[in-house]
Amino acid sequence: MRLRTTTVLSLSVLIVLALAGCSTDSADSFDPTPSATVSVRPDGKSPASAPLSSAALAKRLLDESDLGEGYTRTPQRPAQHDDVTVLGCPALEKLGSETAIGGSFDFPNKAKASFTYADGSDSEVGEELYSDTEDKLSRSVDRVFEAMTSCPTYQVLTGSTAVTVTTQKVLVARLGDEQWSQLLTFAAGGRSSIVKQTAVRTGTVVVVVSGSPGLVDAHVREAVAKATVVRSAG
């Protein structure tokens, strides 16, 4: 099965390709505590509002002033055109080209930014914003996260290199109307890297923060708050 490499978590694909290409970067080292996942939807529904344009979403992204000292915005990388092959996950196979290593969304309205935190480990954190109707966002994000975490372990083939991907649902605080979170561990050639991915839907906007687990935990509330405050202010 061939899947596109565009993802919710662009870092996921980059890590896979880096591992396959024998990058000399050190793997992130974390000891996260796993737990049961929660995809929470509170009672009642949020007032309906129109989807936001990509330009409007871009104004709601975190920037260096939000993140604090030590963060540098990284240039947008060229889109990856290499196909990867995913083995051992029937749920992902059913989704076909809609999802891959980190899940992909086909929403027309989106914006993204990524940053490097120069603390000696060159950890990365990225944010992606999507907007569509509440129902479309809810169904699409839930479907992708459920498909990915339904396969605790699967393989990604890129070229002649096999990268083992392990996924694990994790608890996430109630930050919006719905939220999802998972850990992805990528391993190849005796090296590994861990990425955390947390998505929060608030009305017609989905905020996705991904990268080094510690950085995701440190900034996800901030990302959701900025998107929510700016959006409600019109």
Side-chain angles (χ1 to χ4, degrees), residues 41-214:
R41 189 165 190 168
D43 293 334
K45 297 182 178 180
S46 302
S49 57
L52 299 175
S53 67
S54 296
L57 290 173
K59 296 177 181 179
R60 293 152 171 76
L61 289 167
L62 293 175
D63 56 32
E64 294 92 332
S65 64
D66 299 313
L67 298 172
E69 186 177 354
Y71 288 89
T72 302
R73 186 159 184 164
T74 56
Q76 293 296 325
R77 299 176 175 90
Q80 296 288 344
H81 298 293
D82 304 41
D83 283 345
V84 297
T85 302
V86 178
L87 302 175
C89 188
L92 289 179
E93 187 171 355
K94 287 181 180 179
L95 288 181
S97 61
E98 293 181 15
T99 188
I101 305 159
S104 70
F105 297 130
D106 197 23
F107 303 125
N109 302 330
K110 54 192 173 183
K112 63 181 178 178
S114 58
F115 304 86
T116 298
Y117 181 53
D119 63 346
S121 65
D122 288 333
S123 300
E124 290 191 12
V125 62
E127 179 187 13
E128 299 187 38
L129 300 180
Y130 297 90
S131 187
D132 208 320
T133 64
E134 295 182 13
D135 184 60
K136 286 182 180 178
L137 290 175
S138 179
R139 286 188 289 106
S140 295
V141 177
D142 190 67
R143 179 175 55 176
V144 169
F145 270 80
E146 285 301 315
M148 292 184 66
T149 55
S150 70
C151 302
T153 302
Y154 56 93
Q155 284 194 322
V156 174
L157 300 180
T158 175
S160 60
T161 302
V163 178
T164 299
V165 183
T166 302
T167 63
Q168 192 170 51
K169 294 181 179 182
V170 294
L171 280 174
V172 56
R174 180 174 291 188
L175 301 174
D177 299 320
E178 293 181 277
Q179 42 271 314
W180 305 259
S181 191
Q182 65 178 335
L183 290 174
L184 300 100
T185 302
F186 303 91
R191 299 182 303 117
S192 65
S193 186
I194 299 176
V195 168
K196 187 170 187 177
Q197 178 183 51
T198 297
V200 178
R201 184 186 69 78
T202 302
T204 58
V205 173
V206 163
V207 180
V208 181
V209 181
S210 52
S212 304

